Amino acid sequence: AQSVSQHNHHVILSEAASLELGCNYSYGGTVNLFWYVQYPGQHLQLLLKYFSGDPLVKGIKGFEAEFIKSKFSFNLRKPSVQWSDTAEYFCAVKGAGSYQLTFGKGTKLSVIP
Amino acid sequence: DGGITQSPKYLFRKEGQNVTLSCEQNLNHDAMYWYRQDPGQGLRLIYYSQIVNDFQKGDIAEGYSVSREKKESFPLTVTSAQKNPTAFYLCASSLPNLSGQPQHFGDGTRLSIL
């Protein structure tokens, strides 16, 4: 069975600070990895995804994530956060051959102006 | 614009009552999903369907039922057997999922018990 662990429940940063949100997954084979974001009052939307190839993936709004296979990790990063990045962020994993997408419990990010 | 429409936005259920949440998509996606979102729990998969007239249980299917009679529609019924139905319900769709296509989400339905 696949599972996802997000290390931080709530992260509070000042504007311009750097961001790194941790995500570790458990699955024995090839995986597809995703980060989704849920802005206040809006629907869940895709930030970025990893299927194969370059382990450093760039997404929308300046976000990027690095897939480290040996550590079963897919951490999300942004060099300089803005107040508009305040949202809840979800990491998700899909094992090859599985139809199911498994989500982590989410990390709330609050950015203080 | 293509997208996923969930209705109603808010729904109230009396004890012992079944309620049905609507999900319609015009993205021409084959696969559709229902998730339940509780605070601090993330999203948990209730049911999913990869093709019309076929669906499978997810991780927390007990107390729920679905149908997939049309490609565009995937309604979820919360039955009286679901003892803790108060939650935020999200519907999603995607292209054929085995290749890892990302899912697109609706705005959700918030269900509360009276």
Side-chain angles (χ1 to χ4, degrees), chain A residues 23-56:
Chain A
C23 172
N24 285 90
Y25 68 91
S26 171
Y27 186 76
T30 303
V31 292
N32 301 135
L33 295 158
F34 307 83
W35 276 98
Y36 283 85
V37 61
Q38 190 171 35
Y39 296 104
Q42 294 187 28
H43 62 264
L44 214 65
Q45 54 187 287
L46 182 69
L47 261 184
L48 48 79
K49 61 183 186 286
Y50 171 80
F51 283 176
S52 63
D54 189 345
L56 185 61

Side-chain angles (χ1 to χ4, degrees), chain B residues 11-83:
Chain B
L11 187 57
F12 299 92
R13 192 190 94 167
K14 294 181 182 178
E15 294 284 347
Q17 186 180 45
N18 293 354
V19 290
T20 297
L21 284 60
S22 170
C23 178
E24 303 277 333
Q25 54 99 359
N26 61 4
L27 298 167
N28 201 31
H29 285 167
D30 288 304
M32 296 187 74
Y33 314 83
W34 274 105
Y35 294 91
R36 171 181 171 137
Q37 186 177 15
D38 296 282
Q41 293 293 317
L43 279 71
R44 292 180 290 170
L45 183 65
I46 303 172
Y47 268 98
Y48 63 101
S49 168
Q50 295 297 309
I51 198 168
V52 174
N53 291 323
D54 188 40
F55 50 82
Q56 286 78 39
K57 293 181 179 179
D59 297 322
I60 54 164
E62 186 175 351
Y64 300 98
S65 66
V66 293
S67 62
R68 187 83 190 278
E69 297 176 1
K70 297 187 298 183
K71 186 176 184 177
E72 307 79 33
S73 179
F74 192 41
L76 173 75
T77 297
V78 184
T79 75
S80 56
Q82 171 50 242
K83 297 307 177 190

